Amino acid sequence: MKVIKIFLIVGMALLSVSCDKWLDVKPQSQLDRDDLFSSENGYSDALIGVYAELCDGSLYGRELTYGALDVMAGYYDKGNMMGEFPYLYQYLYKKDNTNKQDYVINIIDAFWSKIYTQIANLNAMLQTIDGNKNLFSGENYNVIKGEAIGLRAFLHFELLRMFGEPYAKDKDAESIPYVDEFTTSVTRLYTVDEIITLVLKDLETAKGLLENDPIHLGTTPSTVLASKVTVDANNNIYAWHNRRFHFNYYAAIATMARVYLWKGDKANALSKALEVIAAQEEKFPWVIAGNLMNIGSDKISDKIQDATFATEHIFALNATKLETLSDGYLYGGQGSLLLTDRSIYPSSFDYRYKNLFKILDGTTLYVTRKYESLSNVSAAFKNRIPMIRISEMYYIAAECEGDRTLATDYLNAVRNNRGLTAEKLENLTPDLLKNEIFKEYQKEFYGEGQLWYYYKRTLAPTIEANKNYFTSIDLYTFDRPENEDAYRF
């Protein structure tokens, strides 16, 4: 690819995948790479650097989770928005819009440039790893290589969901480059359908390499593969818990479920979702209701506060700078991303209604507690940014299962673990089932950026909360940066 300056993220061996562990960034050279990739710890450090960069506020540390994408999905009260958000709320980023805002366009352009930079870093690793296989012990070579290939596929699919046309609208439209080698050469634009094929191929390769991932085997990972964790069986924290912070075996399968659903291939989406669901009880146990009771307490004794349902994360980022990233956006001052009410949660018994919001000081407005950083909370539960949840696999299964009774059972499985056991869904018509799935996406993924993609995938003709501004489904697809397209002609 052109325009993106390629940097390789390097640094000293780190003990955890923490997004405050910013690694030194040096201009790429063969010498730098040879130095970094001279040990298995160097490869581990390079992966950690990628995850660290993904936690930046311009990416998953804000804009691609509770920031830009959730603003455009219509979650927040418009009257309290500040900075870029009022313009995002009005979708003023299309380049043929005479009212476009360059400030907002720059935010979206950064999604492209910064994610492709991390793809380049992954490719730099993969370019050398086979020749250095002798550096690795045990299964570390296969796991690290599989993790890098899988994460590369995941990030390409993220870019496709942003910059590619919805599959159901135009699968043959040019979309994005698929960059699978470390190069400064221009990579051609592939169609939406071609990108899907390439993503799935990489994910299948990753799955095979990750067969002996500790989270799959239920074993203790080496420190090259994940930081150590204090085992707490009473709260479902096991030795492999921190493999959630890496693109792991189950993340590869879960991403396949997402990709097949995006493609409209319900049979394969269901198959992959059920493959992950089969491991749910052991690997992704439902949140313990008691671990929600003290959310927001700063008492030293109240260290178990599972505000993001961490044990249900298939893949997550550990953003230990989350307090700084959210300051002034969710917390601090008057905030900007607030709710006037919690009407998307019709039941007061719903854990997501009851435990995950607070009234902002001095106002009558609600703010999520998902990303609240309290020093007393156990490290096993705080500073989590969910990327893929087990609940999503149940929603995919519900959408793809042809038997409506079974489909409803998948929805009820999640709802039963959200405090809604007394509000069982049953006898749903196809339209009611579809609506209940939508409502679950809306409730479950508040603050996580996923509702926007649901709207796009299903070609929702409008976004009710933003209906005065959302005037065309063309708004779902971001324009590629101008310098990218200009360079190709």
Side-chain angles (χ1 to χ4, degrees):
M1 289 188 64
K2 174 257 157 178
V3 204
I4 301 169
K5 256 188 185 175
I6 306 302
F7 291 98
L8 185 63
I9 300 169
V10 297
M12 298 178 65
L14 304 178
L15 297 179
S16 65
V17 186
S18 301
C19 294
D20 65 338
K21 304 280 190 177
W22 295 95
L23 306 179
D24 293 335
V25 179
K26 300 189 292 185
Q28 173 57 39
S29 70
Q30 186 62 45
L31 180 62
D32 294 336
R33 281 188 287 153
D34 288 348
D35 179 56
L36 178 63
F37 299 135
S38 61
S39 70
E40 62 180 357
N41 282 324
Y43 283 91
S44 176
D45 288 352
L47 272 174
I48 289 170
V50 172
Y51 292 121
E53 293 289 347
L54 294 178
C55 289
D56 187 66
S58 63
L59 297 176
Y60 298 96
R62 182 172 57 248
E63 299 297 4
L64 293 177
T65 48
Y66 59 88
L69 293 190
D70 270 8
V71 168
M72 293 188 293
Y75 274 119
Y76 303 117
D77 177 64
K78 177 189 173 186
N80 291 282
M81 291 181 185
M82 298 181 288
E84 70 268 31
F85 298 126
Y87 305 113
L88 285 161
Y89 181 90
Q90 297 175 64
Y91 311 103
L92 298 179
Y93 48 75
K94 297 296 281 186
K95 290 166 186 174
D96 61 359
N97 185 340
T98 57
N99 295 316
K100 65 182 182 290
Q101 296 290 318
D102 289 342
Y103 175 38
V104 175
I105 291 171
N106 291 339
I107 289 169
I108 290 174
D109 285 355
F111 301 159
W112 176 284
S113 62
K114 292 188 177 185
I115 290 178
Y116 271 119
T117 297
Q118 298 319 310
I119 288 170
N121 288 331
L122 293 168
N123 284 332
M125 287 180 55
L126 291 166
Q127 184 183 60
T128 65
I129 195 168
D130 289 342
N132 289 330
K133 189 173 180 179
N134 63 302
L135 298 176
F136 295 87
S137 57
E139 285 294 320
N140 291 352
Y141 162 79
N142 284 331
V143 173
I144 286 178
K145 182 177 179 180
E147 186 176 333
I149 291 173
L151 184 59
R152 180 178 71 187
F154 175 88
L155 292 175
H156 276 105
F157 183 58
E158 290 289 276
L159 287 164
L160 181 68
R161 293 204 292 177
M162 287 183 260
F163 294 94
E165 292 288 351
Y167 193 95
K169 179 174 181 276
D170 190 355
K171 68 184 180 65
D172 296 317
E174 282 190 336
S175 60
I176 64 170
Y178 199 90
V179 188
D180 58 2
E181 60 180 348
F182 186 67
T183 177
T184 55
S185 300
V186 176
T187 304
R188 74 175 179 90
L189 297 175
Y190 289 83
T191 68
V192 172
D193 195 46
E194 287 173 327
I195 293 292
I196 291 286
T197 299
L198 291 166
V199 167
L200 288 170
K201 180 182 177 182
D202 262 357
L203 290 171
E204 287 286 0
T205 300
K207 180 189 176 187
L209 289 165
L210 289 164
E211 185 70 30
N212 291 323
D213 189 330
I215 197 172
H216 184 214
L217 301 180
T219 56
T220 301
S222 72
T223 54
V224 172
L225 300 181
S227 58
K228 290 183 178 180
V229 64
T230 301
V231 174
D232 181 1
N234 290 332
N235 291 297
N236 293 322
I237 305 298
Y238 299 101
W240 37 262
H241 180 72
N242 283 351
R243 279 296 296 166
R244 303 176 198 279
F245 298 141
H246 297 255
F247 195 86
N248 59 68
Y249 176 82
Y250 293 105
I253 303 169
T255 304
M256 281 189 251
R258 265 188 188 175
V259 174
Y260 278 121
L261 186 62
W262 194 262
K263 184 181 179 181
D265 183 345
K266 290 189 174 183
N268 277 310
L270 176 60
S271 174
K272 296 303 179 184
L274 292 179
E275 194 172 345
V276 181
I277 288 171
Q280 180 271 317
E281 186 174 359
E282 180 183 1
K283 303 298 169 59
F284 311 107
W286 298 113
V287 66
I288 297 171
N291 290 350
L292 306 176
M293 303 306 294
N294 296 315
I295 288 175
S297 171
D298 59 1
K299 293 181 180 178
I300 297 298
S301 58
D302 291 334
K303 65 179 182 177
I304 307 299
Q305 301 181 34
D306 193 3
T308 64
F309 306 171
T311 57
E312 300 180 15
H313 297 174
I314 297 170
F315 174 41
L317 297 175
N318 185 18
T320 52
K321 288 291 186 182
L322 196 53
E323 182 176 8
T324 300
L325 292 168
S326 61
D327 187 38
Y329 294 90
L330 296 175
Y331 317 108
Q334 286 297 299
S336 182
L337 303 175
L338 308 168
L339 287 178
T340 51
D341 60 50
R342 294 172 288 173
S343 58
I344 61 172
Y345 303 95
S347 174
S348 61
F349 294 103
D350 195 321
Y351 299 156
R352 297 164 295 192
Y353 170 93
K354 186 168 58 172
N355 302 109
L356 299 186
F357 288 90
K358 70 174 183 178
I359 295 177
L360 194 68
D361 291 345
T363 76
T364 58
L365 301 167
Y366 292 93
V367 63
T368 182
R369 296 198 106 133
K370 277 187 180 181
Y371 301 123
E372 198 170 20
S373 297
L374 298 173
S375 60
N376 61 308
V377 175
S378 166
F381 296 108
K382 68 180 178 181
N383 297 324
R384 267 51 178 165
I385 298 176
M387 302 289 273
I388 314 176
R389 295 176 168 278
I390 191 63
S391 54
E392 184 180 352
M393 298 299 104
Y394 281 88
Y395 299 153
I396 291 173
E399 186 171 344
C400 297
E401 174 56 62
D403 183 321
R404 288 202 303 279
T405 300
L406 283 176
T408 305
D409 287 345
Y410 291 129
L411 278 187
N412 281 327
V414 180
R415 290 166 57 85
N416 288 345
N417 288 281
R418 299 294 182 260
L420 300 174
T421 53
E423 301 178 25
K424 184 179 179 181
L425 300 174
E426 53 190 348
N427 301 321
L428 298 179
T429 65
D431 285 345
L432 286 174
L433 176 62
K434 181 180 179 180
N435 191 47
E436 289 296 337
I437 292 169
F438 160 68
K439 289 193 291 185
E440 279 300 313
Y441 269 85
Q442 191 177 39
K443 291 182 286 188
E444 184 77 356
F445 299 118
Y446 183 96
E448 298 178 26
Q450 296 303 320
L451 183 62
W452 172 254
Y453 296 129
Y454 175 90
Y455 284 131
K456 180 172 180 175
R457 175 175 61 81
T458 59
L459 300 181
T462 190
I463 294 176
E464 185 62 26
N466 292 14
K467 61 185 178 184
N468 291 333
Y469 299 103
F470 191 89
T471 56
S472 168
I473 61 172
D474 292 342
L475 293 169
Y476 287 128
T477 302
F478 301 152
D479 295 330
R480 292 184 294 270
E482 285 186 352
N483 53 11
E484 279 290 325
D485 282 347
Y487 190 79
R488 296 175 187 280
F489 298 100

